[in-house]
Amino acid sequence: MQRLVLVLTLVLIGVLSQAAHAEVPKGWILSGSDRSNYLTGTEPGDQGAARRAYLKATPQAGVGFGTLTQVIDASNYRGKRVRLSGYLSSDAATSGGFWMRIDGAGSRRLGFDNMENRAVTGTTARQRYQVVLDVPAEATDIAFGFLLVGKGQLWADGLRLETVDSSVPVTSSVTLPAAPTNLDFAD
């Protein structure tokens, strides 16, 4: 009897271990400043989506964020404009959205957009969103995903990462000046 209990316990531990690892969708990484306070997984989609992924804040979530992330080599995208698009919906979300970052050597940031100035907030129906960035010739990798800041839940589906032509405007609101200004603090 003790052996049966031991075997059943080991089987249960294995199943629970696999379930815990299966929560993060294959190919994705759960990260962020407060990732331990965000749950993730997939579920059947709605409105034409076969499956969708979600980020859900636990009651302990504070002002940090959780994100589902992928990082890819930038080689195939250098010198091109790239768009991450898909659908997002939310329930009582403090703030969320798609994001993309272009990095160079030494993790130097070459481009970034996290939809901060056009975030998904509150409770929203499924809607298409996008982030668009240029990938400079010196880019080494592209990181992208979707994030939830603070409370609530965010769903994503239908994601696409594709090159687009220059008629599609870049969405980043971050524009670096070409030269330093006001170095003597006179203004």
Side-chain angles (χ1 to χ4, degrees):
M1 181 67 169
Q2 287 179 330
R3 185 174 178 176
L4 178 60
V5 170
L6 178 61
V7 169
L8 289 175
T9 301
L10 291 174
V11 167
L12 181 59
I13 289 170
V15 168
L16 291 175
S17 174
Q18 286 177 344
H21 293 294
E23 300 227 1
V24 176
K26 183 178 180 181
W28 293 87
I29 301 165
L30 176 62
S31 61
S33 66
D34 195 21
R35 70 179 166 265
S36 64
N37 284 317
Y38 290 87
L39 305 174
T40 188
T42 61
E43 61 188 33
D46 59 359
Q47 301 178 12
R51 301 226 26 103
R52 64 184 183 174
Y54 64 84
L55 287 167
K56 181 177 183 179
T58 66
Q60 296 77 29
V63 295
F65 70 95
T67 177
L68 276 180
T69 301
Q70 285 192 26
V71 181
I72 62 171
D73 185 304
S75 297
N76 293 332
Y77 300 94
R78 289 183 187 131
K80 299 176 182 175
R81 185 164 287 180
V82 176
R83 172 172 55 199
L84 171 66
S85 63
Y87 294 88
L88 296 170
S89 57
S90 62
D91 182 29
T94 303
S95 180
F98 289 125
W99 66 273
M100 184 168 37
R101 187 185 69 231
I102 313 298
D103 291 330
S107 297
R108 187 172 145 246
R109 187 188 308 179
L110 303 175
F112 181 73
D113 184 2
N114 66 357
M115 291 182 53
E116 183 176 28
N117 62 343
R118 58 194 190 287
V120 176
T121 60
T123 300
T124 63
R126 182 177 183 257
Q127 184 175 331
R128 187 174 185 276
Y129 295 91
Q130 65 181 12
V131 293
V132 180
L133 294 174
D134 288 326
V135 182
E138 67 270 23
T140 57
D141 56 74
I142 301 171
F144 62 91
F146 71 101
L147 64 94
L148 176 62
V149 180
K151 304 288 187 185
Q153 186 164 357
L154 189 69
W155 292 268
D157 67 82
L159 275 65
R160 291 185 58 166
L161 185 69
E162 60 191 339
T163 58
V164 294
D165 63 43
S166 61
S167 69
V168 178
V170 172
T171 57
S172 175
S173 60
V174 177
T175 306
L176 298 176
T181 58
N182 197 21
L183 296 178
D184 59 0
F185 309 107
D187 293 334

